[in-house]
Amino acid sequence: MIKNFLRSASSAMLALLLALLLVPQTAQAAGASLSGSDSIQAGNTVSLTLSVPNSVYGLTADLSYSSNLSFTNYNCSVSGWSILVNNNKFSVYGTSSSSGGIIVVKLKVSGSAKAGDALSASFSNIVVSDGNSDTDLGTVSWSGKVGAAPSGDCALSSLSCGNATLSPSFSSKTTFYTCTVPFAVSKLDLNYKKSDSNASVSVSGNDELAVGVNTVTITVKAANGETRTYTIEVTREQDPNYKPSTNGKLSSLTIEGASLSPQFSSTVTDYIAYVPYETTSITLAAETADEKAKGVNGVGAVKLSATEAETVVTVSGVAEDGKSTETYTIHVLRMPA
């Protein structure tokens, strides 16, 4: 009895397998895809890529898109393939198979489109060939929307210094401030906040404050590229233990159109210069040897005596301490008539 049951079950299974083999089978083609950014600003262009999952030797497809888009450009992303376009009907093919991105189209968003407006595009009647047969992949679509224009907000909503007091009090529209810090402060402890989180901020001039006047700038760049610069003029006080230089010597001394005798030296303080009889004035120029010196007195245009052949001119370098000086004397001699 058991043998008869097993024999009957085996016959039934064989019959079922034969039935399945005789039923016609339909090949299911994997779908194509159309991809691209889903948010584009008015006036900008979006690139859409039509991709296929399996290797093919070519495809045809029809492009359509919403009225707020315009077709600007296209290309086949497979090297060595050819592409033909006629009335938005695309045909691409090559001598080697390829899969993935096949066609790239560029569509421009209308400049009059408003933020939030819907955008759409699709490829329909997509037919691919693997070299032996054609397969209909149907239609693929893409949808997006018009993105908001980037913000032009390039302001700070707050600005302060942890180790200094800014003057005047902060206002987002006030871009120039001053402050004074003791010698011990070599860098401002800046605290600021952007009005728009998408803006960027850069700071310059705050790495190492020099003694005296410094300029620190805080530049805010909005998402759309607009900028606003906040300037802080920082005066760093001198080291209380610092002793200013008493060096008032000159590193150079010249007369326009004439030569000094002897040749200038910072250690020589008395000179002679000869000028033509017709000369009524001379122009002196000089520089101090110490870059921290206060400056030079007696330079520039100097009138010569109208009655005497000799005019004595003095030029003095004023040292950093503001008191010490080094005086150089020039005897300017007009030649006889």
Side-chain angles (χ1 to χ4, degrees):
M1 180 176 180
I2 294 175
K3 290 182 178 180
N4 290 336
F5 175 77
L6 292 173
R7 187 181 296 111
S8 298
S10 297
S11 299
M13 182 65 70
L14 180 59
L16 179 59
L17 289 172
L18 289 172
L20 290 173
L21 290 172
L22 292 174
V23 173
Q25 300 296 306
T26 302
Q28 298 296 321
S33 65
L34 184 61
S35 60
S37 175
D38 60 2
S39 179
I40 309 93
Q41 297 165 17
N44 286 0
T45 299
V46 60
S47 294
L48 302 180
T49 301
L50 174 61
S51 304
V52 296
N54 301 319
S55 294
V56 297
Y57 281 87
L59 68 79
T60 59
D62 299 336
L63 173 67
S64 60
Y65 41 86
S66 54
S67 59
N68 50 8
L69 291 171
S70 58
F71 182 31
T72 62
N73 203 353
Y74 65 88
N75 69 278
C76 176
S77 56
V78 182
S79 177
W81 278 34
S82 298
I83 182 168
L84 300 174
V85 180
N86 184 20
N87 292 327
N88 289 347
K89 295 181 181 294
F90 287 72
S91 176
V92 293
Y93 56 90
T95 56
S96 59
S97 63
S98 183
S99 61
I102 301 295
I103 298 174
V104 177
V105 295
K106 292 186 177 182
L107 304 174
K108 184 176 182 180
V109 181
S110 170
S112 60
K114 298 179 180 179
D117 286 353
L119 305 170
S120 63
S122 64
F123 274 106
S124 58
N125 302 321
I126 304 172
V127 177
V128 297
S129 173
D130 61 5
N132 296 313
S133 61
D134 294 343
T135 303
D136 188 346
L137 299 185
T139 300
V140 292
S141 300
W142 164 87
S143 62
K145 65 179 181 180
V146 179
S151 170
D153 189 347
C154 52
L156 292 178
S157 59
S158 66
L159 173 62
S160 63
C161 292
N163 52 3
T165 301
L166 297 182
S167 178
S169 299
F170 174 76
S171 169
S172 62
K173 295 182 179 179
T174 300
T175 58
F176 183 79
Y177 301 87
T178 61
C179 68
T180 300
V181 296
F183 175 77
V185 175
S186 60
K187 182 177 182 179
L188 291 181
D189 180 15
L190 294 173
N191 302 296
Y192 53 80
K193 186 176 181 181
K194 303 173 289 185
S195 294
D196 181 6
S197 60
N198 293 319
S200 60
V201 178
S202 60
V203 179
S204 66
N206 194 38
D207 294 332
E208 180 68 31
L209 299 176
V211 172
V213 179
N214 302 260
T215 300
V216 176
T217 59
I218 305 167
T219 301
V220 186
K221 186 176 182 179
N224 69 351
E226 292 186 29
T227 61
R228 179 180 297 178
T229 298
Y230 294 83
T231 300
I232 304 175
E233 188 178 90
V234 189
T235 300
R236 184 184 180 188
E237 295 177 341
Q238 183 59 270
D239 182 351
N241 298 317
Y242 178 78
K243 293 182 179 180
S245 170
T246 59
N247 180 11
K249 292 183 180 298
L250 299 181
S251 62
S252 67
L253 175 61
T254 59
I255 298 178
E256 183 179 346
S259 299
L260 297 180
S261 180
Q263 186 176 352
F264 176 78
S265 170
S266 61
T267 58
V268 177
T269 59
D270 200 68
Y271 298 90
I272 294 175
Y274 293 93
V275 297
Y277 174 80
E278 295 78 13
T279 303
T280 58
S281 66
I282 58 172
T283 301
L284 295 167
E287 293 183 356
T288 56
D290 184 358
E291 62 179 14
K292 294 181 180 180
K294 293 294 185 179
V296 181
N297 294 329
V299 293
V302 178
K303 287 185 177 182
L304 300 181
S305 172
T307 58
E308 302 293 332
E310 178 183 1
T311 302
V312 178
V313 179
T314 58
V315 177
S316 300
V318 183
E320 182 186 7
D321 65 0
K323 300 177 182 179
S324 304
T325 61
E326 188 77 18
T327 300
Y328 296 79
T329 302
I330 307 171
H331 302 270
V332 183
L333 298 175
R334 293 167 63 199
M335 299 296 289

